[in-house]
Amino acid sequence: MSLKGKSAIITGANKNLGQKTALAFAEEGCDLLVHCHNPKFKKDLDSFAEELKKDYGIKAVSFQGDLTQEAPNKEMFELASSKLGKIDIAINNVGMVLRKPLAEVSLDEYNAMFDINTKAAFLFLREAANKLAENGSVIMLTTSLLAAYTDGYSIYQAAKSGVEFMCKALSKETKKQISFNCISPGPMDTPFLYGQETKERVEFFKTQASAGRLTKVEDIIPIIKFLAKDGHWITGQNIFCSNGFTAPK
Ligand SMILES: NC(=O)c1ccc[n+]([C@@H]2O[C@H](COP(=O)([O-])OP(=O)(O)OC[C@H]3O[C@@H](n4cnc5c(N)ncnc54)[C@H](OP(=O)(O)O)[C@@H]3O)[C@@H](O)[C@H]2O)c1
């Protein structure tokens, strides 16, 4: 199956995994809505969308918004439908990580973690369930920490694990044969990881992968593509892509 002529929404597409995924999809001829959160990146995102149109001959549109709120989720899906004609694929990179003992987590931190990792996922999934075309694919980024028995990441693990169960239920509830899956990378070489980790722990993480290194965004993109293309029979699953860092039983 090809991505040519398909259309996709990719959130967090101004940097890191989201941006590289957008490039990889554009290279294959997929029309795109690219999203960013912070308004200060909207101009750069507009230029990115223009470059994609010029370089790959695709339709591309940009959207900035806080996806913990209901209205921007609705606007984003409506914009994609109107500008791209239809939505076949929806990929959600929205996330926030916190490494802290649970006894020290403030209520504000807890609320932010659940707003960004869980509520935004719910709002995105609800729009996707209602607006995607028949046989569409929804891919939600979660974390390989969901299979880890560890300290420090309780609120991140708790908030991301809800996404897995929303996908499972949706995979049975869909009347349009939309597949709903999570992808869980291992510790990935982006600033998202380094903000919460010590150098020593990053070195340890490397030893836990059979390749002796961190996950790169380039390791994850082929798996996202597979789910969006030929892997459509997979649904309601969480695919752990961590090179041996963790895996569920
Ligand atoms: N890096 C890792 O070690 C790792 C490992 C496993 C899984 N993951 C998951 O992979 C995904 C992508 O991570 P990444 O490493 O590529 O880092 P990233 O680029 O920082 O991805 C997180 C994205 O969430 C966006 N976001 C935060 N709050 C938002 C809000 N209220 N509304 C809309 N968007 C919001 C961020 O935008 P702003 O920064 O502009 O707020 C950012 O674009 C995340 O879901 C993460 O949980 C990452």
Side-chain angles (χ1 to χ4, degrees), residues 14-83:
N14 60 314
K15 56 183 175 170
N16 305 322
L17 180 59
Q19 187 180 47
K20 290 265 174 70
T21 305
L23 264 174
F25 274 52
E27 275 167 10
E28 292 204 15
C30 187
D31 296 329
L32 291 175
L33 179 147
V34 287
H35 155 269
C36 75
H37 173 218
N38 195 321
K40 79 175 182 209
F41 297 125
K42 177 63 165 65
K43 262 197 177 155
D44 289 346
L45 189 74
D46 291 344
S47 311
F48 180 50
E50 285 307 313
E51 272 170 40
L52 295 178
K53 283 201 255 188
K54 192 159 63 72
D55 294 351
Y56 303 107
I58 60 163
K59 293 182 203 164
V61 57
S62 59
F63 178 83
Q64 177 274 323
D66 176 357
L67 298 180
T68 63
Q69 302 302 311
E70 194 169 35
N73 279 279
K74 286 187 182 298
E75 283 165 31
M76 181 171 73
F77 277 80
E78 273 157 23
L79 183 68
S81 291
S82 69
K83 297 281 183 195

Side-chain angles (χ1 to χ4, degrees), residues 13-242:
N14 60 314
K15 56 183 175 170
N16 305 322
L17 180 59
Q19 187 180 47
K20 290 265 174 70
T21 305
L23 264 174
F25 274 52
E27 275 167 10
E28 292 204 15
C30 187
D31 296 329
L32 291 175
L33 179 147
V34 287
H35 155 269
C36 75
H37 173 218
N38 195 321
K40 79 175 182 209
F41 297 125
K42 177 63 165 65
K43 262 197 177 155
D44 289 346
L45 189 74
D46 291 344
S47 311
F48 180 50
E50 285 307 313
E51 272 170 40
L52 295 178
K53 283 201 255 188
K54 192 159 63 72
D55 294 351
Y56 303 107
I58 60 163
K59 293 182 203 164
V61 57
S62 59
F63 178 83
Q64 177 274 323
D66 176 357
L67 298 180
T68 63
Q69 302 302 311
E70 194 169 35
N73 279 279
K74 286 187 182 298
E75 283 165 31
M76 181 171 73
F77 277 80
E78 273 157 23
L79 183 68
S81 291
S82 69
K83 297 281 183 195
L84 309 179
K86 62 183 167 51
I87 313 165
D88 300 297
I89 300 157
I91 302 168
N92 187 36
N93 286 293
V94 174
M96 180 185 187
V97 62
L98 177 70
R99 180 165 193 273
K100 207 176 211 191
L102 188 144
E104 295 170 19
V105 173
S106 71
L107 185 57
D108 283 349
E109 286 170 327
Y110 171 91
N111 284 334
M113 288 293 287
F114 274 81
D115 278 357
I116 293 170
N117 291 301
T118 322
K119 187 168 102 178
F122 158 68
L123 293 168
F124 183 89
L125 283 166
R126 194 176 60 178
E127 289 307 307
N130 287 312
K131 305 258 169 60
L132 253 66
E134 293 266 339
N135 295 309
S137 307
V138 179
I139 297 156
M140 305 294 286
L141 270 294
T142 49
T143 170
S144 61
L145 284 169
L146 294 185
Y149 185 178
T150 186
D151 63 307
Y153 281 114
S154 57
I155 306 302
Y156 184 51
Q157 290 171 308
K160 283 282 194 189
S161 64
V163 182
E164 188 176 308
F165 285 95
M166 288 190 267
C167 284
K168 279 204 184 310
L170 278 164
S171 72
K172 284 190 172 283
E173 291 162 3
T174 181
K175 303 279 187 292
K176 294 191 281 186
Q177 293 300 304
I178 299 168
S179 67
F180 291 90
N181 291 294
C182 297
I183 283 191
S184 281
M188 198 161 59
D189 190 2
T190 76
F192 188 90
L193 170 73
Y194 298 115
Q196 301 295 312
E197 282 299 348
T198 62
K199 273 190 183 151
E200 293 71 27
R201 283 176 53 96
V202 170
E203 288 312 307
F204 172 72
F205 287 162
K206 292 180 187 171
T207 68
Q208 297 304 290
S210 68
R213 63 166 174 82
L214 294 177
T215 298
K216 294 182 188 161
V217 295
E218 290 79 6
D219 298 318
I220 303 304
I221 289 165
I223 302 159
I224 295 176
K225 273 191 188 170
F226 173 70
L227 285 180
K229 296 192 333 182
D230 301 309
H232 196 261
W233 198 244
I234 297 174
T235 189
Q237 304 301 307
N238 191 342
I239 314 291
F240 281 69
C241 321
S242 71

